[in-house]
Amino acid sequence: MSLRAVVRGVGHYLPERVVPNKEFEATLDTNDEWIKSRSGIERRHFAGDGETTSTMATAAARAALSDAGLEPKDVDAIIVATSTADLTFPSAATMVQAELGMENGFAFDVQAVCAGFIYALSNANALILSGQASRVLVIGAETFSRIMDWTDRSTCVLFGDGAGALLLEAQDGKGTSDDRGILSTDLNSDGRHKDLLYVDGGVSTGTTGYLRMQGNQVFRHAVEKLAATANKAMARAGVTAEDVDWIVPHQANIRIIQGTAKKLGLPMENVVVTVQDHGNTSAASIPLALSVGRARGQIKEGDLIVTEAIGGGLAWGAVVLRW
């Protein structure tokens, strides 16, 4: 027998405020067609007054718990992937723990920007395989609208807010690629590329800062690195692209999604795409896409899924799991 971290529940939360591309036309030299042609984005959600990363994360966590038919007391750990936590400290994860009324277990944040959920899944998998936890809530949540430079049309139209969550549970498998659960992970980073995507401020610098990005350079790195990490993770899991039912990529840009799928030799019919509705929600984008894909009836139990992401750092990685 082999222990696996199996998806027991999934859920997501999106703020009520929907911002279509046309809303930017009044303040920026841009239009709906320009944004769609370069990113595939048609609309995104922005957090309202009083909404924070932790409140959205809590809502997504409740949805995942409900889907699993479990209570907060049944959970051993919470990991929140975010770059936009409410406070410098404590962690957003401990705030979610408190809001859920969960008095047991432990909670912490992971910060790897858009790759954050991949890193969080890998950490949750390690906790389960090591026996430190039997059930882990893994949440991606972001309020990127709070770090946008609204005069920079190359970045501010791309991002949105939201949260998604998976509840992972330890279950016995046979140790083969037919098992349900996480089959393999692959993590990477290269700090030499910091200037390609970053926020130009932070606590130790005494400034708040805004998101800055060299979009063309990020694109150049993204397709190559995403395909490579996906292939490495598949090799570790003992599967090939022909075995994959769904790619669920980080939803940053439709051209990156299309380029990665092509490099992997998979048609777009096998890709879950939500970027048109949510924009780039950073660490929240993969769990959001998983939750929406399941709700649409695309993702079904037993499906083999490859999910991958790249973000500031640069940090990137992939997870192969059977739903």
Side-chain angles (χ1 to χ4, degrees), residues 108-319:
F108 62 94
D109 288 357
V110 168
Q111 209 276 57
V113 201
C114 299
F117 193 75
I118 295 294
Y119 275 59
L121 275 182
S122 184
N123 274 273
N125 184 54
L127 288 170
I128 287 174
L129 297 188
S130 68
Q132 293 185 72
S134 294
R135 294 193 182 105
V136 184
L137 263 173
V138 192
I139 308 166
E142 302 281 16
T143 45
F144 260 54
S145 64
R146 308 269 161 83
I147 55 170
M148 290 294 103
D149 177 353
W150 299 111
T151 66
D152 181 4
R153 73 168 186 168
S154 68
T155 58
C156 71
V157 300
L158 302 177
F159 293 88
D161 303 333
L166 295 186
L167 180 59
L168 296 180
E169 179 179 78
Q171 294 183 15
D172 287 327
K174 295 180 180 179
T176 74
S177 61
D178 291 328
D179 289 346
R180 290 188 64 211
I182 293 176
L183 302 179
S184 68
T185 66
D186 180 60
L187 302 179
N188 310 268
S189 66
D190 188 342
R192 294 174 298 175
H193 300 300
K194 182 202 75 168
D195 291 342
L196 300 188
L197 177 55
Y198 66 102
V199 170
D200 60 357
V203 176
S204 67
T205 64
T207 57
T208 301
Y210 296 106
L211 183 144
R212 306 298 180 194
M213 179 171 68
Q214 297 181 41
N216 290 338
Q217 290 298 312
V218 171
F219 182 91
R220 183 174 65 83
H221 283 278
V223 174
E224 176 187 340
K225 286 178 167 57
L226 289 174
T229 188
N231 278 321
K232 191 185 295 186
M234 284 190 288
R236 287 178 179 169
V239 300
T240 66
E242 288 73 26
D243 301 314
V244 174
D245 294 296
W246 296 103
I247 302 174
V248 185
H250 168 48
Q251 308 286 320
N253 182 302
I254 191 62
R255 293 188 294 171
I256 292 175
I257 294 170
Q258 291 168 338
T260 305
K262 183 177 180 180
K263 208 166 182 67
L264 291 172
L266 285 165
M268 285 301 292
E269 289 76 15
N270 291 82
V271 183
V272 174
V273 180
T274 61
V275 68
Q276 70 279 2
D277 297 321
H278 306 150
N280 183 347
T281 54
S282 189
S285 81
I286 286 174
L288 258 173
L290 286 167
S291 183
V292 170
R294 212 283 297 271
R296 287 174 180 167
Q298 292 173 294
I299 297 173
K300 299 179 176 65
E301 185 172 319
D303 282 353
L304 186 66
I305 294 169
V306 175
T307 182
E308 26 81 354
I310 186 169
L314 292 174
W316 67 99
V319 171

